[in-house]
Amino acid sequence: MTTETTGTAARDGDPRPGGPADSPFIRACRRRPGPHTPVWFMRQAGRSLPEYREIRASVPMLESCRRADLVTEITLQPVRRHGVDAAILFSDIVVPVAAAGIDLDIVPGTGPVVAEPIRSAADVERIRLITRDDVPYVDEAVRQLVVELGDTPLIGFAGAPFTLASYLVEGGPSRTHAKTKALMYGDPELWHALAGRLAEVTLAFLRVQIEAGVSAVQLFDSWAGTLSEADYRRYVLPHSTAVLSGLADDCSGSGRGDRRAEPEQSHAGVPRIHFGVGTAELLGAMGEAGADVVGVDWRTPLDVATGRIGPDKAVQGNLDPCVLLAPWPVVEAEVRRILDQGRAAPGHVFNLGHGVLPETDPEVLTRVVALVHELSSRRADQG
Ligand code: CP3
């Protein structure tokens, strides 16, 4: 009932008071005023929390992503503990790729490792298109979470074509992305076939999450910052645009024929966040891909970022995750600076510039949430 009311109302631009579509987070994504600046943290569900480490002690990473009960519990943990303004689904960017038929594992201390890296057109053909039936645990977890979270919005996510392609071509994490770039420059046709296929998988995966009820989505192009703007525009932007604009087509009702769940969900037009690391030179292009919110890492002040992104998009960021390891007065000063610089943007979602580091004291995260709320609502009072 909650989702139905909210979805219908959101489409009409008049969200049900108190529902997820009227939350401070969704309001900021839509550049609407709200009671305070919303805050959540990339990787908030995960390794910094003892209650997470306890669950994972006996369960491998990919298995934990495929058990809806565990996904639901791990996703809720940071919401209970910190009082963040949004939950993000616990999963990994390689989950849909594994569901598409690629043999991979997440190796502790290393990250995703692909058994047979993608190097040829025949390899690209091994990446199947996916439907909800390939990721039933994601559909189920999102539906459970929407009920459990009530008025707190749930963010769905996926990896962007470039970042996914990097893991598939390299076979694992890479500092230089040399094999990926060699393929891109040396065989553009094969590159576009691979990135195009990954865009289709990603779009399908995000649609599953939206139809199950997420309130927003984030596209992670974590490693896009390794490219020049010219190469980003030529080799990556068309594919990320296919994903983000593909979701926008769903809103206008022109994009799809079948597999619609409740109409109000597929019409929800959920806000789209587009994020990468080291993307100072790419911020404008990443916005152009079809984002409502552009994620900014800690290197670019939010007022400067807003100048590059333009006045019709909100920003998300951008506390350096390492600052959370410093004494509290340093953290406090940085939070104040970021809130001040974020006022230049037409909407600001407070976040880190990249994910929470494992060694972060969770109590500092809780204090940051309280401080962001206090400082931003006091400003409204003084209004
Ligand atoms: O919190 C944790 O790190 C523990 C669980 C875990 C995740 N991914 C959660 C995750 C583990 C062990 C991984 C494996 C993995 N996958 C790694 C190594 C992680 C490490 O540092 O040990 C990496 C680099 C990947 C690939 C990956 N996954 C990328 C590039 C991204 C995009 C976000 C980013 O960090 O740049 C992900 C997404 C991801 N992995 C999420 C979660 C919960 C979702 C996003 C979020 O919560 O912000």
Side-chain angles (χ1 to χ4, degrees):
M1 186 181 147
T2 309
T3 50
E4 269 182 28
T5 316
T6 305
T8 307
R11 187 181 57 216
D12 297 335
D14 180 21
R16 179 175 66 82
D22 187 37
S23 63
F25 169 70
I26 297 295
R27 295 187 76 87
C29 291
R30 297 199 185 285
R31 293 170 281 126
R32 292 190 181 140
H36 59 252
T37 301
V39 47
W40 69 279
F41 305 110
M42 291 183 278
R43 295 287 186 99
Q44 64 188 15
R47 56 215 174 151
S48 68
L49 300 185
E51 57 269 36
Y52 164 79
R53 289 199 293 263
E54 199 176 307
I55 292 180
R56 279 292 319 285
S58 57
V59 189
M61 176 61 190
L62 271 179
E63 187 187 331
S64 68
C65 298
R66 291 175 179 147
R67 284 178 50 183
D69 57 334
L70 294 186
V71 171
T72 300
E73 168 57 23
I74 295 170
T75 301
L76 291 171
Q77 285 177 346
V79 180
R80 287 190 204 116
R81 191 191 253 268
H82 305 307
V84 281
D85 291 277
I88 182 159
L89 184 74
F90 181 78
S91 188
D92 190 80
I93 58 167
V94 296
V95 165
V97 182
I102 297 302
D103 183 6
L104 59 83
D105 199 5
I106 295 182
V107 178
T110 303
V113 174
V114 178
E116 294 175 56
I118 304 270
R119 304 278 162 75
S120 69
D123 290 337
V124 172
E125 290 307 311
R126 291 195 276 121
I127 309 171
R128 294 193 314 259
L129 298 183
I130 60 168
T131 69
R132 177 166 36 185
D133 298 337
D134 294 301
V135 284
Y137 38 84
V138 169
D139 176 68
E140 197 187 326
V142 170
R143 288 176 195 275
Q144 284 174 5
L145 279 162
V146 166
V147 174
E148 295 278 336
L149 283 163
D151 295 338
T152 302
L154 175 64
I155 305 168
F157 77 91
F162 177 79
T163 293
L164 290 177
S166 170
Y167 285 105
L168 294 180
V169 175
E170 306 288 338
S174 163
R175 196 173 52 81
T176 58
H177 308 276
K179 295 189 181 78
T180 313
K181 289 186 182 182
L183 188 153
M184 184 185 271
Y185 297 129
D187 192 345
E189 199 183 327
L190 177 58
W191 166 259
H192 285 296
L194 170 60
R197 177 62 61 94
L198 291 171
E200 289 180 288
V201 171
T202 296
L203 183 53
F205 187 58
L206 290 173
R207 280 174 170 156
V208 170
Q209 297 174 62
I210 291 170
E211 289 180 1
V214 299
S215 293
V217 292
Q218 177 156 327
L219 188 65
F220 281 95
D221 212 349
S222 300
W223 312 140
T226 191
L227 299 170
S228 69
E229 184 185 352
D231 287 344
Y232 178 83
R233 286 187 179 277
R234 185 165 172 194
Y235 296 108
V236 177
L237 182 59
H239 304 292
S240 296
T241 302
V243 176
L244 293 170
S245 302
L247 296 178
D249 289 345
D250 291 350
C251 315
S252 63
S254 62
R256 9 213 342 246
D258 57 355
R259 290 198 69 83
R260 288 193 175 206
E262 306 78 26
E264 61 273 13
Q265 283 301 330
S266 41
H267 281 272
V270 303
R272 299 151 300 168
I273 309 168
H274 196 186
F275 167 79
V277 182
T279 53
E281 302 304 322
L282 307 180
L283 290 170
M286 290 182 76
E288 284 170 38
D292 302 289
V293 184
V294 178
V296 182
D297 83 0
W298 61 91
R299 294 173 179 89
T300 312
L302 291 180
D303 48 351
V304 175
T306 297
R308 296 180 183 182
I309 295 161
D312 60 345
K313 294 179 198 307
V315 296
Q316 176 173 279
N318 68 346
L319 184 68
D320 185 335
C322 297
V323 166
L324 296 172
L325 311 177
W328 177 252
V330 178
V331 180
E332 179 171 350
E334 283 294 275
V335 169
R336 283 179 188 274
R337 175 182 65 79
I338 288 162
L339 284 171
D340 282 347
Q341 291 171 340
R343 295 175 74 180
H348 177 207
V349 176
F350 193 100
N351 204 314
L352 305 181
H354 200 184
V356 176
L357 296 168
E359 59 268 44
T360 307
D361 176 353
E363 286 181 21
V364 176
L365 292 170
T366 308
R367 283 184 85 178
V368 168
V369 172
L371 181 64
V372 169
H373 287 169
E374 184 203 323
L375 292 175
S376 57
S377 24
R378 187 183 300 151
R379 210 174 57 222
D381 293 347
Q382 288 168 351

